[in-house]
Amino acid sequence: MSSKTQNNKAWWLVAPVFIMVAFNALVPLMTVVNYSVQETFGDNVFTWAGVHWFQDVLHSERFHSALLRQLLFSGIVLAIEIPLGLGVALTMPRKGPWVSVCLVLMSLPLLIPWNVVGSMWNIMALPDIGLLAKVINGLGIDYNYTRQPVAAWFTIVLMDVWHWTSLVALLCYAGLVSIPDAYYQAAKVDGAKTWAVFRFIQLPKLKHVLTIAVLLRFMDSFMIYTEVSVLTGGGPGSATTFLSIDLVKIALGQFDLGPAAAMSLIYFMIILFLSWLFYTLMMKNEDA
Amino acid sequence: MSLELQNIVKRVGADTHIYETSLKLEPRSFNVLLGTTLAGKTTLMQLIAGIQKPTSGKIFFKGRDVTGAAVQKRNVSMVYQQFINYPNFNVYDNIASPLRVAGMEAVEIERRVGKAAELLRLGPMLKRKPSELSGGQQQRTAIARALVKDSDIILLDEPLANLDYKLREELRDELPKLFADRDAIVVYATTEPNEALLFGGNTATMHEGHITQFGPTSSTYRKPHDLLTAQVFSEPPMNTAKVEKRGNQLTIFGNQKWPIGQAGSKLPDGNYMIGVRPYNVSPNKDGKALGSFDAEVLVTEISGSESVIHTRIDNSTWISQSHGIHALPLGSQAKLYVDIDQAMFFDANNRLVS
């Protein structure tokens, strides 16, 4: 005796989202999957290649070194940006007129388009006219990022720290201001020192925010393309050729669609796995 | 071992949070700060604790000037409205934290934590983290932390406000017992007059940065010096109206005539402000000296065996609180009786005159 109204109108309301997601995520992804298991010589002629491209990529020296560089880059960037961002957030004022000044200044780097960031640092670091290069050379250090791998790495890391530390700082700041004043007072009454307040109140309270910050920064730095591409183009040699840059070289430079597709899927899996790993590790003690 | 505030003033920028205030808290006393939000209760507590410094005035403890002394030097403990515990410590470590900071021996720490945990019935929860506790247990942990060290001053800033009804009742019963045998000055801030009455001790009524009156709770309640104190110390709010006294008659609400009653009988003729507590206004005619009025019913709250009727009369709201269920329909006219013997009379300066 159910008198439940049957009404399928709701499907029409979610349909636009389905179509959007299909066009901007599912269809391209499936195209890549499609390419990754086929061989083509152009003219829209495809032949079945099975897992051949995946084997190729996984055994390629070039992929290994690009992956290593990518991991090293993300590692360095995280090791600098997370503590630095946290440190900046701790020193930012909690109230008063300087709050908005700080917030606006902090968000400026985040508002600059990525290729502009690349160009800015490119010009800054150019050995003949760049301010940064002039200063470093003026200090007596030989610095030329177009020739020295170490200089190129230094410049890229510096650029990324400049560009993204604000994000970590802003996230941490949001976490910090959400800690009720009473915690600090309680710690004061207990006689806790600044370090103890940080270690036993601020850090535990910032756990979730820091997890988000690490995840965001890891994913972004692992996928970095535009800035590096503009700044060094992957050079000198292949010193700063990260996975994304290598991928574009294979896909658009050499037009090897099969290997490129296989590589992007492997790349995607690595990011997915590492993100899961980070999240699980950082949240491990939650239910313990 | 008394605590004395002398002419304390606290200003922040252009705002005055505490106007000139003097207060003397006796050793081993239980003191309630009663007032609405923003009355200055928390500020006063923080001044006592030393978390804030007064703009002017002095604070003496055991006769020694501690005005500039840091929090750590004052041996105070504090419990807040929010449940403040160290998030990644378990209950045991939380309770032990002030003792560890003080560098106490492990054996003594264990003994004291065990005792505090037993008092607050936290025994089975010692290994749990605050996030795994109910609100009541979290607050018990915070209270245990305040109890565990031998503080000279224990400050409780609305500790029950964030708890649900049952837990609040439970903890409210336990609190005075916990502090009874302590050699400490206890200060308890609350917005609820009923809490002050339940705890007894002394009560300071606060209003917008002033202490309007300080003294034994029952006398502050029964003999408020002024209208403001009476209003702060009344829940539901006290009913007030302008009255004119002529001989044995009161004129109230413009043209209604009431008998004078015992309270006002000795007053000289003239204009007064009358204050009547809601439980002296009833839909039942059972008092001796009775005034009555007809008013429009705004809302009726019935809680179990008690009815609170809000009415509108002569552009002001009068509230009746009485036993029994009086389900008066909204908007109807009701006849209410007032026990004038229990009324308070205030003069033109709002001072209690009878």
Side-chain angles (χ1 to χ4, degrees):
Chain A
M1 300 302 277
S2 144
S3 62
K4 208 162 141 193
T5 344
Q6 283 292 323
N7 192 334
N8 291 326
K9 271 185 205 147
W11 288 109
W12 291 105
L13 297 175
V14 289
V17 176
F18 273 122
I19 294 168
M20 289 270 289
V21 172
F23 270 93
N24 67 31
L26 288 178
V27 173
L29 184 65
M30 289 326 287
T31 315
V32 172
V33 172
N34 199 15
Y35 282 149
S36 73
V37 291
Q38 298 190 77
E39 164 80 290
T40 178
F41 299 102
D43 292 338
N44 244 350
V45 182
F46 289 90
T47 52
W48 177 253
V51 292
H52 178 67
W53 299 132
F54 289 92
Q55 284 171 337
D56 256 18
V57 170
L58 287 173
H59 289 109
S60 115
E61 193 71 28
R62 182 174 165 180
F63 177 75
H64 291 165
S65 46
L67 178 61
L68 267 182
R69 279 192 287 271
Q70 189 75 71
L71 284 170
L72 183 64
F73 176 73
S74 287
I76 294 177
V77 156
L78 282 179
I80 298 176
E81 287 177 12
I82 299 295
L84 186 61
L86 184 56
V88 170
L90 284 170
T91 51
M92 276 167 76
R94 302 281 156 73
K95 44 191 143 191
W98 288 103
V99 170
S100 27
V101 176
C102 279
L103 287 180
V104 169
L105 282 179
M106 294 299 292
S107 29
L108 274 183
L110 300 173
L111 300 175
I112 299 175
W114 297 4
N115 56 344
V116 176
V117 172
S119 311
M120 274 168 53
W121 284 86
N122 188 346
I123 296 168
M124 283 262 283
L126 275 179
D128 41 358
I129 57 164
L131 181 64
L132 179 71
K134 287 278 181 205
V135 169
I136 295 178
N137 282 319
L139 291 172
I141 301 161
D142 184 26
Y143 167 88
N144 185 339
Y145 79 93
T146 59
R147 278 192 278 112
Q148 303 151 334
V150 175
W153 270 80
F154 170 76
T155 317
I156 288 179
V157 168
L158 188 62
M159 172 181 68
D160 200 80
V161 167
W162 176 85
H163 194 183
W164 290 113
T165 303
S166 327
L167 179 76
V168 180
L170 289 176
L171 283 171
C172 290
Y173 182 72
L176 280 175
V177 289
S178 73
I179 302 175
D181 240 11
Y183 275 94
Y184 297 111
Q185 288 174 20
K188 230 179 176 181
V189 170
D190 277 0
K193 302 279 184 306
T194 316
W195 167 250
V197 170
F198 173 71
R199 173 69 187 79
F200 298 116
I201 294 173
Q202 291 173 321
L203 210 52
K205 285 267 161 194
L206 283 181
K207 189 175 174 185
H208 292 264
V209 167
L210 279 174
T211 307
I212 299 287
V214 167
L215 273 181
L216 279 179
R217 280 317 299 137
F218 167 71
M219 288 190 289
D220 259 2
S221 65
F222 208 76
M223 298 188 291
I224 189 168
Y225 174 74
T226 319
E227 298 110 303
V228 179
S229 161
V230 173
L231 184 63
T232 66
S238 57
T240 57
T241 301
F242 299 135
L243 280 177
S244 58
I245 293 181
D246 207 22
L247 183 62
V248 172
K249 276 184 186 163
I250 295 171
L252 301 179
Q254 303 158 224
F255 225 73
D256 284 334
L257 291 185
M263 188 172 155
S264 15
L265 287 178
I266 294 168
Y267 194 0
F268 175 55
M269 287 304 164
I270 294 173
I271 293 186
L272 208 61
F273 170 71
L274 287 178
S275 298
W276 170 81
L277 195 69
F278 270 123
Y279 185 80
T280 322
L281 287 181
M282 294 191 74
M283 288 296 166
K284 200 177 68 180
N285 296 323
E286 200 69 348
D287 341 283
Chain B
M1 236 206 52
S2 65
L3 176 80
E4 199 172 350
L5 309 185
Q6 283 185 358
N7 311 322
I8 289 292
V9 175
K10 178 66 186 176
R11 271 189 289 270
V12 177
D15 297 331
T16 305
H17 289 195
I18 298 288
Y19 292 89
E20 193 168 316
T21 292
S22 296
L23 190 64
K24 191 172 179 193
L25 303 179
E26 296 300 329
R28 304 180 66 106
S29 61
F30 194 102
N31 307 279
V32 180
L33 298 180
L34 175 66
T36 52
T37 317
L38 293 179
K41 306 185 298 292
T42 301
T43 310
L44 198 63
M45 287 202 151
Q46 295 186 346
L47 289 170
I48 293 173
I51 292 168
Q52 296 194 38
K53 302 267 171 287
T55 311
S56 64
K58 290 204 176 304
I59 301 174
F60 291 92
F61 184 64
K62 297 181 188 169
R64 206 159 48 84
D65 185 354
V66 294
T67 315
V71 192
Q72 297 89 324
K73 300 265 164 63
R74 295 200 189 182
N75 195 18
V76 296
S77 49
M78 200 154 176
V79 178
Y80 302 83
Q81 181 178 344
Q82 301 103 323
F83 314 138
I84 305 293
N85 293 300
Y86 294 101
N88 57 344
F89 282 1
N90 63 27
V91 171
Y92 183 93
D93 292 331
N94 258 298
I95 302 174
S97 64
L99 304 179
R100 288 194 178 138
V101 171
M104 196 175 276
E105 275 174 50
V107 187
E108 177 67 5
I109 291 182
E110 202 170 327
R111 193 185 66 78
R112 288 206 188 190
V113 173
K115 202 174 145 210
E118 194 188 333
L119 268 176
L120 285 145
R121 292 188 274 120
L122 286 166
M125 284 86 168
L126 285 176
K127 289 274 166 279
R128 295 201 204 159
K129 296 265 178 75
S131 56
E132 298 160 316
L133 300 175
S134 73
Q137 290 162 346
Q138 288 182 41
Q139 193 63 314
R140 280 169 194 279
T141 307
I143 294 171
R145 220 176 55 232
L147 282 177
V148 78
K149 67 172 182 179
D150 281 324
S151 307
D152 296 323
I153 303 169
I154 300 173
L155 303 164
L156 304 135
D157 192 358
E158 297 187 46
L160 308 182
N162 282 9
L163 291 171
D164 56 56
Y165 184 73
K166 276 278 175 208
L167 288 169
R168 189 158 61 213
E169 297 265 287
E170 212 177 283
L171 259 178
R172 189 188 277 156
D173 286 345
E174 290 171 26
L175 271 176
K177 293 172 203 153
L178 292 178
F179 298 115
D181 57 343
R182 292 225 149 222
D183 198 19
I185 297 173
V186 181
V187 184
Y188 183 103
T190 179
T191 54
E192 294 177 38
N194 295 334
E195 257 180 18
L197 288 171
L198 278 168
F199 286 142
N202 302 313
T203 293
T205 45
M206 294 194 69
H207 183 76
E208 293 178 354
H210 297 274
I211 289 184
T212 60
Q213 190 170 337
F214 177 65
T217 303
S218 56
S219 75
T220 310
Y221 181 75
R222 284 203 211 99
K223 287 272 169 238
H225 292 169
D226 53 19
L227 182 59
L228 212 48
T229 304
Q231 281 172 325
V232 170
F233 212 153
S234 180
E235 170 61 36
M238 174 169 273
N239 301 310
T240 56
K242 283 188 177 133
V243 292
E244 192 190 344
K245 183 199 176 246
R246 285 254 174 275
N248 284 333
Q249 207 165 51
L250 287 176
T251 309
I252 188 167
F253 303 136
N255 53 10
Q256 306 211 23
K257 308 286 185 205
W258 286 1
I260 182 68
Q262 276 172 18
S265 57
K266 294 194 178 67
L267 288 173
D269 288 0
N271 292 316
Y272 297 95
M273 182 69 91
I274 191 175
V276 181
R277 294 197 189 272
Y279 64 75
N280 290 323
V281 181
S282 163
N284 301 325
K285 187 177 179 178
D286 51 9
K288 287 171 285 172
L290 287 177
S292 69
F293 61 99
D294 294 295
E296 182 195 348
V297 176
L298 294 176
V299 72
T300 311
E301 304 161 33
I302 297 171
S303 59
S305 59
E306 201 179 69
S307 302
V308 177
I309 308 163
H310 298 246
T311 64
R312 177 166 292 280
I313 170 87
D314 196 35
N315 283 327
S316 63
T317 305
W318 271 55
I319 300 170
S320 146
Q321 184 183 26
S322 56
H323 286 292
I325 294 169
H326 305 280
L328 301 174
L330 199 134
S332 66
Q333 290 287 315
K335 193 165 197 71
L336 294 174
Y337 299 91
V338 179
D339 185 351
I340 306 173
D341 285 349
Q342 308 298 328
M344 297 174 190
F345 288 84
F346 301 92
D347 66 12
N349 299 318
N350 290 330
R351 295 262 142 217
L352 184 78
V353 283
S354 177

